[in-house]
């Protein structure tokens, strides 16, 4: 099938590459010329396990990349996978979605065949019908008989994106007519996941409700963890016992420094905003974010209890990515911690296996090291912010610290004497 994917970021790039792995003829449309260059050369601009190998396998064969939208005029399906970042009031910024829809519509003018426009970005319910559809119809001058519309949310996890995309738990296809929904079903032929067919707004809401529920599980576990710590109870033992209940499930119950990333904080905020616009007061969702915002700074309280003021002290932050196996730092809990440490006058030094270049853009003046040992040498305290598997092996490097005071926000270390955020 001839597919265009608009947006070559985390979701668009992974989707496009995986669609070519499924045998389709794919063109990625990306406005950032640096990303276009990198993809064309077979070098993914982001890190994801297995992505570089698949890109090299398909680049310039059945995967092409372009800054322009010409390929839309001969495509059978166009996926829109551009960003939907938070606005200052927490609502979703839909300007990229609208701009992409207009560009798609203009190029559909020259497409002689039936084509389906599918929203893959996470968008508030109603966006496909109220923004995408009219923008495409007006710009193309065509009717809804000639263009189909659908919504196909993406559930991949960064750090495991290729694996998730090719082995999803479910595929949700929201469409208002069976013709467009069936065509999306054909794109995923070869995958074994169950396909859920819904209306467009339900598909949009399934994505928000899923992310809000996962975020709630994390904040719930963190709150239980905070209580357990005061009582001297091991929250990991507790959550193991809780998670074995099949009604609850074992995942997303790891207490720690809270969730970051490009999805959970922004999607919960957008859902809160949507609820408020509709006269609701989403008490639970607001609390989920409140717990999450307070959680990382509890690590600094623990550090100060142990070493006194952090002013003038050398504090090593291990882990900058919002989770392991990615270089993405969007809404990483490390950002909040570094910001507060700097405000308090600490000398922050940092290490991460992949995310240093991105963090340098936010904090150009802190010192970065290419090894754990470099960051720990002479430090008066250490905060562990990301669950990188390699951190579980850190041991003798801690001997290099001036004072061995270690607080972990993710349960990864095996060293004796380490204090956990909620254990
Ligand atoms: N990152 C995730 O883990 C994840 C998972 C599921 C869903 N989502 C959702 O998918 C969407 C995309 O997220 P992302 O993380 O891939 O964002 P991203 O910022 O990494 O990528 C978006 C890309 O779109 C490009 N772009 C913007 N406007 C464009 C246009 N008019 N034409 C062509 N390209 C354009 C940008 O240059 C950028 O490369 C968001 O709605 C997000 O909530 C993300």
């Amino acid at each position: 099938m001839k597919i265009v994917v608009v947006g070559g970021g985390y979701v668009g790039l992974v989707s496009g590459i995986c669609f070519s792995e499924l045998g389709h003829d794919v063109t990625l449309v990306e406005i950032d010329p640096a990303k276009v260059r990198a993809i064309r050369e077979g070098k993914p601009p982001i890190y994801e396990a297995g992505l570089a190998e698949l890109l090299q396998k398909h680049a310039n064969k059945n995967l092409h990349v372009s800054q322009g939208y010409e390929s839309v005029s001969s495509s059978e399906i166009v996926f829109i996978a551009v960003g939907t970042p938070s606005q200052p009031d927490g609502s979703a910024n839909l300007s990229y979605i609208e701009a992409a829809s207009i560009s798609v519509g203009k190029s559909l003018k020259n497409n002689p065949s039936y084509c389906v426009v599918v929203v893959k970005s996470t968008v508030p319910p109603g966006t496909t019908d109220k923004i995408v559809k009219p923008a495409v119809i007006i710009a193309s001058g065509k009717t809804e008989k000639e263009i189909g519309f659908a919504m196909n949310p993406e559930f991949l996890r960064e750090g495991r994106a290729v694996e998730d995309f090719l082995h999803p738990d479910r595929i949700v296809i929201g469409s208002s007519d069976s013709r467009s929904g069936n065509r999306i079903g054909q794109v995923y032929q070869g995958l074994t996941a169950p396909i859920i067919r819904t209306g467009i707004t339900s598909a949009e809401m399934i994505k928000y409700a899923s992310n809000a529920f996962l975020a709630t599980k994390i904040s719930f576990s963190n709150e239980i963890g905070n209580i357990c710590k005061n009582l001297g109870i091991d929250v990991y033992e507790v959550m193991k016992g809780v998670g074995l209940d099949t009604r609850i499930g074992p995942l997303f119950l790891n207490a720690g420094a809270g969730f970051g990333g490009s999805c959970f904080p922004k999607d919960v905020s957008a859902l809160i905003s949507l609820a408020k616009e509709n006269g609701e007061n989403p008490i639970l969702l607001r609390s989920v974010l409140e717990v999450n915002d307070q959680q990382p700074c509890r690590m600094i309280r623990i550090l100060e209890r142990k070493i006194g003021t952090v002013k003038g002290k050398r504090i090593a932050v291990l882990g900058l990515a919002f989770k392991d196996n990615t270089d993405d730092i969007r809404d990483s809990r490390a950002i909040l911690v570094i910001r507060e440490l700097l405000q308090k006058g600490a000398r922050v030094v940092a290490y991460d296996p992949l995310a240093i270049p991105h963090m340098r853009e936010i904090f150009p003046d802190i010192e970065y090291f290419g090894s754990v040992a470099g960051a720990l040498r002479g430090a008066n305290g250490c905060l562990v912010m990301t669950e990188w598997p390699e951190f579980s092996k850190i041991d003798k490097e801690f001997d290099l610290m001036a004072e061995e005071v270690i607080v972990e926000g993710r349960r990864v270390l095996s060293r004796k004497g380490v204090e956990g955020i909620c254990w």
Side-chain angles (χ1 to χ4, degrees), residues 234-245 248-250 253-254:
D234 181 354
V235 63
Y236 275 69
E237 234 171 62
V238 171
M239 285 314 190
K240 191 172 174 197
V242 170
L244 284 171
D245 186 326
I248 297 172
L253 295 180
N254 290 338

Side-chain angles (χ1 to χ4, degrees), residues 196-223:
I196 316 293
R197 296 284 288 264
T198 67
I200 288 180
T201 46
S202 297
E204 291 168 328
M205 192 61 172
I206 285 171
K207 176 64 189 176
Y208 274 109
S210 300
N211 274 0
F213 186 71
L214 293 172
T216 304
K217 271 184 111 175
I218 296 172
S219 278
F220 174 82
S221 306
N222 289 342
E223 188 141 81

Side-chain angles (χ1 to χ4, degrees), residues 2-4 27-29 66 68-75 107 111:
K2 281 181 92 89
I3 298 176
V4 168
T27 303
L28 283 170
V29 176
S66 153
Y69 280 72
E70 304 77 20
S71 48
V72 168
S73 59
S74 57
S75 67
S107 295
N111 189 330

Side-chain angles (χ1 to χ4, degrees), residues 162-193:
V162 172
E163 172 68 17
D164 281 355
F165 195 93
L166 293 173
H167 304 96
D169 291 337
R170 78 295 207 193
I171 294 162
V172 175
I173 300 175
S175 62
S176 47
D177 64 290
S178 53
R179 188 180 183 194
S180 51
N182 290 348
R183 187 168 278 191
I184 302 170
Q186 285 169 25
V187 173
Y188 289 102
Q189 250 172 27
L191 300 186
T192 50

Side-chain angles (χ1 to χ4, degrees), residues 37 52 58 123 208 252 293 314 331 356 375 383:
R37 248 191 329 273
H58 296 289
V123 293
Y208 274 109
F252 285 77
D293 287 342
R314 187 179 171 92
D331 257 320
I356 289 175
L383 301 178

